[in-house]
């Protein structure tokens, strides 16, 4: 199930190749993979979203995406459900922008900030409700995460766990509040894993190999994701030394090594 793979920003991919590798529906705008913990969004292929345009806001910090379903109220089923639940289900969301000739350009990995239900007209001119998802680009999350690292560093393991499990997708908060919550949770998850490790690599169980400028030499690895970064569940991350981290992502026994680590973390968390 674990696949070490990352897409390159701005690079063109053939959509059929993506589905050959990952499975998933070949036509829909939201395509959860049948094989891996990943959901693809193909934006701009369906030709008009009946009153709402998908895309980035002015400063490229929020991507708005209308859910699927062209007639009647949109509901949280299929792709819409997968997007709403992508954080709790530990699925990575990858945004591709439609190009021509079956090609699409990889844009960014996205993290859900929340959603709104909006009135709209369907293609028959009947009024209905659509789901408007708001996402934050992962590259921005990583860039700005440093701002709140100080916030979470001095918390206890239990406090960090609470922060890490914070529900950020409620409907009644502003986009700005959600962004702060998502970031705080993302940092809390990382700080939690490092505190749980307590200076010992959670994979090879050796002390961290050097003294880091920033407090910990251990990397935070996502056990069930294609790439590291973004918010996740405390039980889905491990703090590992750079050597073990490289082995998981690039070693010929990386998948097995990751699976052994998953078992260790499950044991730790069950104590
Ligand atoms: Zn190690
Ligand atoms: Zn990793």
């Amino acid at each position: 199930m674990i696949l070490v793979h990352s897409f390159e920003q701005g690079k063109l991919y053939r959509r059929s190749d993506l589905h050959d590798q990952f499975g998933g529906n070949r036509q829909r705008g939201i395509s959860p993979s049948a094989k891996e913990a990943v959901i693809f969004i193909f934006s701009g292929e369906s030709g008009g979203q009946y009153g709402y345009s998908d895309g980035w806001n002015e400063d490229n910090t929020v991507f708005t995406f209308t859910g699927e379903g062209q007639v009647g109220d949109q509901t949280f089923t299929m792709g819409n459900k997968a997007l709403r639940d992508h954080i709790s289900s530990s699925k990575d969301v990858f945004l591709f922008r439609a190009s021509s000739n079956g090609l699409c350009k990889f844009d960014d990995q996205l993290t859900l900030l929340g959603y709104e239900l909006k009135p709209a007209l369907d293609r028959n001119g009947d009024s209905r409700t659509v789901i408007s998802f708001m996402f934050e680009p992962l590259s921005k999350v990583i860039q700005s995460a440093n701002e709140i690292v100080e916030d979470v560093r001095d918390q206890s393991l239990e406090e960090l766990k609470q922060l890490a499990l914070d529900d950020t997708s409620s409907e009644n908060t502003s986009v700005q509040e959600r962004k702060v919550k998502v970031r705080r949770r993302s940092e809390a998850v990382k700080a939690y894993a490092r505190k749980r490790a307590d200076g010992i690599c959670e994979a090879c169980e050796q002390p961290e190999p050097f003294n880091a400028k920033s407090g910990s030499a251990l990397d935070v690895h996502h056990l069930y994701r294609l790439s590291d970064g973004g918010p996740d569940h405390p039980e889905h991350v491990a703090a590992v030394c750079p050597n073990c981290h490289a082995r998981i992502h690039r070693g010929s026994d990386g998948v097995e090594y990751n699976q052994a680590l998953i078992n260790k973390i499950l044991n730790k968390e069950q104590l």
Side-chain angles (χ1 to χ4, degrees):
M1 266 310 276
I2 310 294
L3 182 76
V4 179
H5 189 284
S6 61
F7 300 104
E8 220 177 286
Q9 281 189 311
K11 188 174 164 183
L12 286 169
Y13 293 85
R14 188 165 296 284
R15 180 162 177 176
S16 58
D17 291 345
L18 293 173
H19 293 299
D20 288 347
Q21 185 178 353
F22 291 91
N25 188 287
R26 289 168 181 265
Q27 264 90 45
R28 300 178 85 99
I30 307 169
S31 182
S33 167
K35 299 178 184 169
E36 310 287 344
V38 50
I39 303 164
F40 293 129
I41 294 178
F42 298 96
S43 176
E45 271 181 349
S46 54
Q49 291 285 338
Y50 310 104
Y52 287 98
S53 56
D54 296 341
W56 293 102
N57 65 348
E58 276 170 33
D59 57 356
N60 292 318
T61 54
V62 177
F63 187 81
T64 303
F65 183 75
T66 307
E68 63 183 12
Q70 299 195 341
V71 178
D73 289 342
Q74 291 184 348
T75 56
F76 287 106
T77 52
M78 300 181 70
N80 296 335
K81 181 175 190 296
L83 285 185
R84 183 194 64 187
D85 300 339
H86 91 93
I87 293 173
S88 57
S89 63
S90 262
K91 298 209 166 124
D92 290 338
V93 176
F94 293 104
L95 170 64
F96 289 86
R97 309 305 295 272
S99 188
S100 52
N101 299 323
L103 296 172
C104 53
K105 188 180 277 185
F106 176 60
D107 192 322
D108 208 336
Q109 187 174 338
L110 303 178
T111 300
L112 185 68
L113 291 167
Y115 57 84
E116 286 170 2
L117 301 176
K118 291 182 174 175
L121 296 179
D122 68 19
R123 67 176 172 205
N124 302 328
D126 297 321
S127 60
R128 63 164 182 161
T129 299
V130 298
I131 304 162
S132 180
F133 292 102
M134 287 165 289
F135 293 96
E136 180 159 55
L138 185 68
S139 53
K140 279 273 189 331
V141 175
I142 291 169
Q143 271 171 29
S144 50
N146 291 337
E147 295 163 20
I148 58 144
V149 169
E150 297 297 328
D151 256 22
V152 298
R153 197 172 281 163
D154 297 328
Q155 313 250 12
S156 74
L157 198 61
E158 228 9 78
E159 286 167 337
L160 287 171
K161 191 160 191 169
Q162 283 313 310
L163 274 177
L165 293 170
D166 198 8
D167 178 17
T168 57
S169 57
S170 60
E171 279 184 62
N172 296 321
T173 48
S174 72
V175 169
Q176 205 50 42
E177 284 170 318
R178 282 174 195 159
K179 285 167 77 168
V180 170
K181 280 179 117 184
V182 165
R183 272 178 208 149
R184 192 189 299 125
R185 186 178 61 179
S186 167
E187 287 313 308
V189 169
K190 283 189 252 176
Y192 172 84
R194 290 191 172 117
K195 194 151 266 190
R196 183 182 62 198
D198 196 21
I200 308 291
C201 170
E202 294 189 294
C204 67
E205 294 167 32
Q206 298 299 307
E208 48 184 65
F210 57 87
N211 289 322
K213 283 182 198 162
S214 67
S216 174
L218 299 179
D219 295 342
V220 176
H221 167 66
H222 285 78
L223 297 163
Y224 302 94
R225 294 167 71 106
L226 300 181
S227 59
D228 292 319
D232 208 337
H233 193 279
E235 292 172 18
H236 297 173
V237 291
V240 296
C241 72
N243 212 28
C244 286
H245 201 196
R247 181 169 169 184
I248 293 165
H249 284 282
R250 309 208 303 272
S252 60
D253 67 344
V255 172
E256 293 80 6
Y257 201 58
N258 191 63
Q259 189 55 53
L261 182 56
I262 286 172
N263 295 338
K264 283 182 187 182
I265 299 301
L266 285 177
N267 278 330
K268 270 190 170 182
E269 285 289 339
Q270 276 161 11
L271 288 176

